[in-house]
Amino acid sequence: SFTYHIYAEQTGTYWLHAHHKAQQADGLRAPFIIRDTKCPYEYDEEVLISLEDWYPTESGTKMAEVTAPGSTGPPPPTFPYGLINGYNGNNSMPIRFVPGKRYRIRVLSMSTTEWWKFSIPGHKLEVIEADGIMSEPHIVDGLDLAPAQRYSAIVTALDTDEFNYIYNCTLYADFVPWTPGMNPRVYTGLVEYNAHAPTKQYAFSDDRQLAWATDIGMHALDSYPMPPADRHIDLTSRLYITDDLRNLRTLDTLPYIEPQVPTLFTAMTTGSLAMDPRVYGPQAQAFVIPHMQNVEITIKNIEGLPHAMHLHHHAFYIAERGPVDPAEIEIAPGTNFTPADLPRTTRRRSTGVPMRRDTITVPAFEYVKLRIRGDLPSTAFLHCHTLSHNVAGLAATLVIAPDVLQRTQRIPEDLIHMCLRQGIRVEGNAVGNHGLDFTGLPPVPILGPTAADN
């Protein structure tokens, strides 16, 4: 067992989950709510809606299908079931409203693969938070959540209890074929004003006619201005087939794999060499960011699968979104996209005080520009929260101010002992050696053509 001590300095809607391989897909996850003692918005009650996708196959088997040698492409899609607050979505509990009251509804996606949409027909949602960051009010019809995203929205109950209403939770994946009853899976629950009242029915609405929360159009409430960029990091997501026919993904030049020495231990134990990205090993895909440097990270998605990109420890500014250059696009076999599906979006830049969050959807054939300040010394994992993509290597590491980290922090002894009991090395470079001696490093995979070339 291991005891975690969390200093809850920030507030907001979060969740706890395992990060070893794909353990969280088997249920090792839970909401983690940190309430503000003085919230800037007034409301009467809170409602929590936690959303999960649940596969009947255990994560180890499912992830082996993704990365096993001898494959000729990604495995065929499987369709999960939806859980709402830990229960089968068909058995979701009612939300009880009292006319005229204001309810803060926290909606969080603990999905592994698929996206969720949430709405309450007949009611507007006043979004006030995204991923723990409070926002100016953003009035919408519904929320579209990638894996690991969270929102808070205030819903004002109607003035009468003449009718009850329904809330919609739709689990979907637009990157695989739409299959009736399986993709999407539509779950509904009751918004109960009066136990004896009839339920008001609404005709099915085309999602394209509804207003959905858009983070590029939101503004942070705290008014912290976005700093100018001192440095630019350009990343591109790709799917490769290796020489032994594994499907691996890259965000930079190589698929990410966990180093034999955790990156935090390397940053803390290698002295001045911690400022050299090579010490973390070639597959940590490490970028060293000096203290207080302002960095703009561009993530280009040139393939036909969306990505839910998440950054540990930091909330990034959302600076820009837009379509990628059509000449760069790669469409892998087995995806639900063709050149006719190329986005018709236009470039959108943030205005005023941009929204910050820690997880962002990078749609197929689009890019995002994110900006962070290196003000929190740490080793920050940047990865896709679609678990099969993460396991296949779609990740990189931001090593932020390791020199300051060494001077100001220490690794708890119980963490060191926990690693040693598991045979995990706790000092040295990526393989536990001195300097840049990587004797014992696992062989780097030989990347063949991208999946789009096959």
Side-chain angles (χ1 to χ4, degrees), residues 148-166:
Q149 286 189 325
R150 296 91 63 204
Y151 284 103
S152 282
I154 291 179
V155 177
T156 301
L158 304 180
D159 292 331
T160 174
D161 63 359
E162 180 182 4
F163 293 102
N164 296 320
Y165 296 81
I166 61 169

Side-chain angles (χ1 to χ4, degrees), residues 13 21 67 74 83 119 128 201 213 227 236 241 246 266 299 310 327 353 355 428 434:
T13 308
K21 296 183 179 178
T67 58
L83 304 182
S119 63
I128 61 167
Q201 302 295 328
T236 301
I241 299 189
R246 287 181 294 157
T266 295
I299 303 175
H310 172 64
V353 178
M355 192 58 198
H434 294 292

Side-chain angles (χ1 to χ4, degrees), residues 301-317:
N301 184 1
I302 61 174
E303 52 176 326
L305 295 172
H307 297 305
M309 299 306 302
H310 172 64
L311 179 62
H312 289 201
H313 307 309
H314 292 261
F316 44 71
Y317 292 89

Side-chain angles (χ1 to χ4, degrees), residues 6 24 77 95 111 200 248 268 394 421 435:
I6 299 172
Q24 70 106 332
I95 299 174
S111 278
K200 191 165 188 176
L248 299 181
M268 291 289 284
L394 192 61
R421 285 197 297 269

Side-chain angles (χ1 to χ4, degrees), residues 337-350:
F337 286 95
T338 70
D341 298 314
L342 297 184
R344 295 176 176 84
T345 58
T346 57
R347 184 177 66 178
R348 293 188 63 190
R349 291 177 173 168
S350 62

Side-chain angles (χ1 to χ4, degrees), residues 88-366:
N88 185 311
N90 292 314
N91 301 322
S92 54
M93 299 296 291
I95 299 174
R96 291 182 170 84
F97 275 9
V98 174
K101 283 194 172 184
R102 286 165 59 84
Y103 296 84
R104 178 176 182 166
I105 301 185
R106 298 180 187 263
V107 186
L108 64 154
S109 171
M110 300 190 295
S111 278
T112 66
T113 304
E114 298 202 357
W115 269 240
W116 283 92
K117 288 184 177 179
F118 174 84
S119 63
I120 308 178
H123 300 70
K124 290 290 186 181
L125 279 64
E126 180 185 340
V127 179
I128 61 167
E129 178 214 353
D131 301 350
I133 302 299
M134 300 300 290
S135 72
E136 294 181 0
H138 182 57
I139 310 298
V140 297
D141 296 311
L143 309 174
D144 192 358
L145 297 97
Q149 286 189 325
R150 296 91 63 204
Y151 284 103
S152 282
I154 291 179
V155 177
T156 301
L158 304 180
D159 292 331
T160 174
D161 63 359
E162 180 182 4
F163 293 102
N164 296 320
Y165 296 81
I166 61 169
Y167 63 89
N168 292 325
C169 297
T170 300
L171 177 65
Y172 76 98
D174 61 8
F175 44 89
V176 296
W178 291 72
T179 305
M182 300 176 71
N183 181 34
R185 292 190 192 270
V186 179
Y187 300 98
T188 61
L190 184 68
V191 178
E192 183 181 283
Y193 280 82
N194 183 336
H196 304 291
T199 300
K200 191 165 188 176
Q201 302 295 328
Y202 283 83
F204 178 80
S205 298
D206 186 339
D207 283 356
R208 293 171 295 183
Q209 297 175 354
L210 301 179
W212 298 92
T214 55
D215 44 28
I216 190 70
M218 295 174 63
H219 302 279
L221 186 65
D222 56 24
S223 299
Y224 292 154
M226 181 170 66
D230 304 317
R231 176 185 176 187
H232 296 267
I233 295 174
D234 295 322
L235 303 172
T236 301
S237 66
R238 282 190 171 90
L239 172 63
Y240 283 95
I241 299 189
T242 63
D243 61 335
D244 58 352
L245 298 182
R246 287 181 294 157
N247 289 275
L248 299 181
R249 295 182 178 275
T250 66
L251 192 55
D252 188 32
T253 56
L254 288 171
Y256 176 90
I257 62 168
E258 294 179 2
Q260 295 177 29
V261 176
T263 301
L264 175 62
F265 290 134
T266 295
M268 291 289 284
T269 63
T270 53
S272 61
L273 198 58
M275 297 297 292
D276 186 336
R278 294 176 298 172
V279 76
Y280 303 100
Q283 285 193 256
Q285 297 295 279
F287 296 86
V288 175
I289 297 174
H291 192 224
M292 299 306 292
Q293 186 178 67
N294 299 318
V295 180
E296 183 169 274
I297 302 171
T298 300
I299 303 175
K300 290 194 294 185
N301 184 1
I302 61 174
E303 52 176 326
L305 295 172
H307 297 305
M309 299 306 302
H310 172 64
L311 179 62
H312 289 201
H313 307 309
H314 292 261
F316 44 71
Y317 292 89
I318 304 169
E320 187 176 314
R321 285 183 173 277
V324 300
D325 184 343
E328 296 182 272
I329 285 174
E330 300 173 356
I331 301 177
T335 57
N336 196 34
F337 286 95
T338 70
D341 298 314
L342 297 184
R344 295 176 176 84
T345 58
T346 57
R347 184 177 66 178
R348 293 188 63 190
R349 291 177 173 168
S350 62
T351 59
V353 178
M355 192 58 198
R356 302 191 310 280
R357 67 183 317 168
D358 60 35
T359 307
I360 190 166
T361 295
V362 188
F365 315 130
E366 295 190 25

